[in-house]
Amino acid sequence: MLKEQRYVTTPIYYVNDRPHIGHVYTTTLCDVYARSMRHLNHDVFFLTGTDEHGVKVEQSAIKKGVSPQELADIHSAEFRSIMGKFELTNDEFIRTTDSEHTKQVQAFVKTLLDSGDVYLGTFEGWYDEGQEEYHTETSARELDYTSPINGKPLIRSSEKNYYFKLSAYQDKIAELFENNPTFVRPESRRNEMLGRLKEDLLDVPISRTNFSWGIPLPTDEEHVIYVWIDALFNYITALGLGDTSSDIFAKRKKYWPASYHIIGKEILWFHSVIWPAVLMSLDLPLPKCVFAHSFWISEGKKMSKSMGNFIDLELIDSYVDKYSMDAWRYYIVTQGPLGSSDADFVAENFQDLYNAHLVNTVGNCTSRVTAMLGKYFDGVVQTESQNGKRITFDGFDWPTTCESAIGAWSLHMEAFALDKAIESAMCLIREVDLFINETAPFKLAKDETKTAELGAILYQCLEVLRIASILLDPVIPSKMNEFRTAISAQTINDTFSETIAWGGIKNGSTVEKVALFPRVS
Ligand code: ME8
């Protein structure tokens, strides 16, 4: 079967500081998407990594008395370690100090220099040091001359740099937005960009001279490549697109263009305007979608170390220890800021959601069904048929219900509506609870003439739970794996449509009682 490619990327993370909930969140979203696309038998490439050059890293290193490379090594290793820890299944972890990356960035910049889209010029504007970004007079005024990210004053600054003629791409970018209404999602973010695109586009620096920790400009030693240009290229250098004679290119060129660049809202301009214009200049295809989620805030306020509401790895660990890694993943993916509003991380909400969704729904239903099979049939799965005919129950056409849930799940996952996809699986489980309440197997168990019905009810419950467990697998992989092992279900193999089809559980197979999500107070 010919597989389709799916390429999903996270931003690459700055190594001037340690990872926090924001980084874990974006990467987990991509992980859920990547896992679901693998289940759907697509050929997936999931990229993450670290952004290691620039003033911020240079200055942090000076403060700590280490070299920028040493600082980058320490923090990049910590970012890499969160991948294993949070069960994030990235296929590659790129570092912008990797020689494969730097070599290709120089090659791309050389092509830009030769294309006529780059010139040496002087620019004066309002500079956000933390974000390494220039603002025009209008946008600086709107921001009250302070950084929207860290609140520090913008600095009036003038620089002689190489500039990319973003202004020459004004019409093409406008066309891109017009012709592809889903190029930027969600729609509210797209509208923000459309608003900004009404102003004349300013050319953007691609080189800097005020620091040295960066990739040297191939044609002018006084300049290093601007960290944002260096960083954006990671999405294609990881695939070897800048070195067409490499093995990496031969193996990975098929993944471009990306299906999704998943990012936070604060870096959307770079990804949805500057990056496409650079790709247009290089004559390369554009990513299919840039999806910008909103921010986690904490206990009602912007996260800040000085306010004491910062969600760092240590705090995350305390949740993982108390509730399990899967519970952590479930909470951030279903309650996180995927849409246009920020999401508030509140300890009480975590506990409530854990109890309602994981303990009372997934945990309770799986333990209820496996316990009844143990009690009434010694843990042996019965057939759902009698005299060659399926026993059915009024109002519950399970094969059809499951089929439509699987269809909805697939569509939502493909569209990166992860919360909706997960909800379609949770609905199945709630319906199993309803089925149990309506058919009352515990009553049938008292009547020997009803053994066939009882066996059929429990078969159907277990089979729906098995199917739901495959659909929930991308978000809570360990627990769902534990469940499928306990019910002797086959592993999720290469043919999704067969594995997920009704009838996967064979009668005669054995089932152990499970307790997936213990109650926590
Ligand atoms: O911007 N809530 O790196 P970075 C949710 N190196 N997500 C958050 C968040 C929050 N409160 N805070 C951060 C950079 N994030 C550049 C990117 S890409 C070519 C270069 C997440 O370490 C979110 O994904 O500051 C955001 O875009 C990213 O972390 C920024 O990470």
Side-chain angles (χ1 to χ4, degrees):
M1 192 175 68
L2 196 62
K3 291 186 168 195
E4 287 173 31
Q5 277 68 43
R6 295 288 183 274
Y7 178 29
V8 62
T9 67
T10 73
I12 47 171
Y13 304 120
Y14 281 133
V15 289
N16 60 315
D17 218 336
R18 298 183 56 209
H20 58 66
I21 186 175
H23 306 117
V24 174
Y25 175 63
T26 311
T27 322
T28 307
L29 292 179
C30 293
D31 183 62
V32 172
Y33 173 79
R35 284 174 184 264
S36 64
M37 292 302 111
R38 290 190 199 108
H39 285 345
L40 286 168
N41 301 132
H42 294 313
D43 177 7
V44 176
F45 196 73
F46 165 17
L47 178 70
T48 188
T50 42
D51 187 358
E52 307 193 1
H53 292 124
V55 183
K56 276 210 273 197
V57 177
E58 195 176 73
Q59 285 177 350
S60 294
I62 293 169
K63 261 192 218 153
K64 294 198 163 95
V66 293
S67 71
Q69 186 66 60
E70 280 168 326
L71 185 76
D73 288 347
I74 295 166
H75 284 163
S76 180
E78 186 162 29
F79 275 100
R80 195 190 287 267
S81 76
I82 68 170
M83 304 303 151
K85 179 171 164 176
F86 290 89
E87 297 179 28
L88 304 166
T89 56
N90 54 305
D91 295 289
E92 181 63 281
F93 184 95
I94 192 171
R95 298 184 60 184
T96 54
T97 52
D98 288 342
S99 62
E100 290 78 10
H101 172 79
T102 56
K103 213 170 57 187
Q104 291 183 64
V105 169
Q106 286 183 321
F108 281 127
V109 168
K110 178 85 180 39
T111 313
L112 289 177
L113 286 162
D114 295 343
S115 71
D117 273 343
V118 171
Y119 62 94
L120 187 64
T122 306
F123 178 80
E124 204 177 326
W126 292 96
Y127 186 57
D128 179 342
E129 263 191 333
Q131 201 58 4
E132 305 209 12
E133 182 180 9
Y134 266 102
H135 291 277
T136 59
E137 183 59 43
T138 326
S139 106
R141 200 180 317 122
E142 272 168 18
L143 295 168
D144 214 9
Y145 302 96
T146 49
S147 163
I149 307 298
N150 60 19
K152 291 191 183 153
L154 299 177
I155 296 163
R156 188 77 188 159
S157 171
S158 140
E159 275 184 62
K160 191 169 181 195
N161 284 322
Y162 288 89
Y163 287 90
F164 172 70
K165 285 187 198 161
L166 185 62
S167 53
Y169 287 86
Q170 184 111 33
D171 293 345
K172 285 192 176 160
I173 296 289
E175 254 171 55
L176 167 69
F177 273 70
E178 201 170 303
N179 297 342
N180 302 279
T182 54
F183 175 65
V184 170
R185 286 179 52 207
E187 204 183 339
S188 52
R189 297 274 167 253
R190 173 176 185 260
N191 291 337
E192 265 172 37
M193 293 300 110
L194 282 172
R196 280 182 73 177
L197 282 167
K198 285 189 188 133
E199 271 190 54
D200 286 345
L201 288 181
L202 288 183
D203 295 343
V204 286
I206 63 156
S207 75
R208 311 304 296 269
T209 51
N210 58 349
F211 66 99
S212 58
W213 179 237
I215 303 176
L217 197 76
T219 51
D220 187 341
E221 279 177 7
E222 274 180 37
H223 293 250
V224 292
I225 294 167
Y226 176 37
V227 64
W228 263 104
I229 296 294
D230 166 359
L232 286 165
F233 276 125
N234 93 88
Y235 301 127
I236 53 177
T237 60
L239 307 181
L241 262 56
D243 184 3
T244 51
S245 60
S246 64
D247 286 352
I248 299 243
F249 175 75
K251 279 194 219 132
R252 296 183 180 168
K253 64 171 190 263
K254 61 182 175 180
Y255 294 113
W256 191 254
S259 316
Y260 287 103
H261 285 323
I262 306 300
I263 57 167
K265 61 183 177 180
E266 84 290 15
I267 54 176
L268 182 54
W269 183 255
F270 289 102
H271 283 81
S272 67
V273 176
I274 299 176
W275 179 227
V278 168
L279 288 166
M280 285 174 187
S281 175
L282 293 168
D283 227 357
L284 286 169
L286 308 184
K288 292 179 190 146
C289 178
V290 179
F291 194 114
H293 62 69
S294 303
F295 268 17
W296 279 104
I297 57 170
S298 168
E299 306 284 346
K301 294 191 196 76
K302 188 174 170 188
M303 280 202 306
S304 117
K305 286 184 186 163
S306 56
M307 298 278 286
N309 67 343
F310 198 77
I311 304 172
D312 57 14
L313 290 184
E314 284 68 28
L315 186 69
I316 297 175
D317 273 346
S318 68
Y319 281 88
V320 171
D321 290 346
K322 186 168 174 189
Y323 297 97
S324 76
M325 179 57 77
D326 278 6
W328 167 261
R329 288 172 58 103
Y330 187 87
Y331 177 78
I332 60 167
V333 173
T334 61
Q335 307 303 301
L338 191 58
S340 47
S341 341
D342 289 344
D344 196 5
F345 190 101
V346 182
E348 216 177 59
N349 294 354
F350 195 115
Q351 171 95 8
D352 291 349
L353 181 96
Y354 176 76
N355 283 334
H357 287 215
L358 298 178
V359 179
N360 296 341
T361 307
V362 182
N364 188 46
C365 193
T366 48
S367 94
R368 208 175 172 196
V369 171
T370 52
M372 283 194 281
L373 271 159
K375 189 167 169 192
Y376 305 138
F377 297 106
D378 285 335
V380 177
V381 178
Q382 305 298 297
T383 168
E384 62 163 341
S385 304
Q386 200 173 30
N387 306 325
K389 238 185 114 208
R390 286 188 62 235
I391 304 176
T392 54
F393 301 88
D394 277 353
F396 294 95
D397 177 2
W398 284 118
T400 308
T401 303
C402 289
E403 212 179 308
S404 71
I406 297 161
W409 177 90
S410 310
L411 287 177
H412 290 317
M413 281 298 188
E414 288 274 12
F416 217 88
L418 311 186
D419 43 353
K420 290 191 185 139
I422 293 166
E423 184 51 24
S424 53
M426 293 299 283
C427 279
L428 278 182
I429 300 185
R430 285 187 210 109
E431 207 156 326
V432 171
D433 272 330
L434 189 79
F435 181 54
I436 296 174
N437 294 346
E438 291 204 0
T439 54
F442 28 86
K443 283 191 192 144
L444 300 186
K446 293 180 188 141
D447 181 348
E448 272 177 22
T449 66
K450 301 282 185 202
T451 308
E453 276 96 331
L454 178 63
I457 290 168
L458 294 182
Y459 178 93
Q460 290 173 13
C461 290
L462 194 71
E463 182 57 358
V464 181
L465 290 178
R466 182 190 70 87
I467 290 168
S469 89
I470 298 174
L471 303 183
L472 287 174
D473 188 84
V475 63
I476 47 173
S478 299
K479 297 289 181 182
M480 293 300 92
N481 199 25
E482 189 183 327
F483 174 64
R484 284 193 304 277
T485 305
I487 64 168
S488 316
Q490 72 188 112
T491 49
I492 306 172
N493 65 16
D494 269 352
T495 36
F496 178 77
S497 54
E498 279 171 29
T499 316
I500 198 127
W502 184 261
I505 288 273
K506 301 289 168 244
N507 47 297
S509 55
T510 52
V511 168
E512 279 167 27
K513 184 174 176 338
V514 291
L516 298 175
F517 293 100
R519 201 163 289 282
V520 173
S521 52

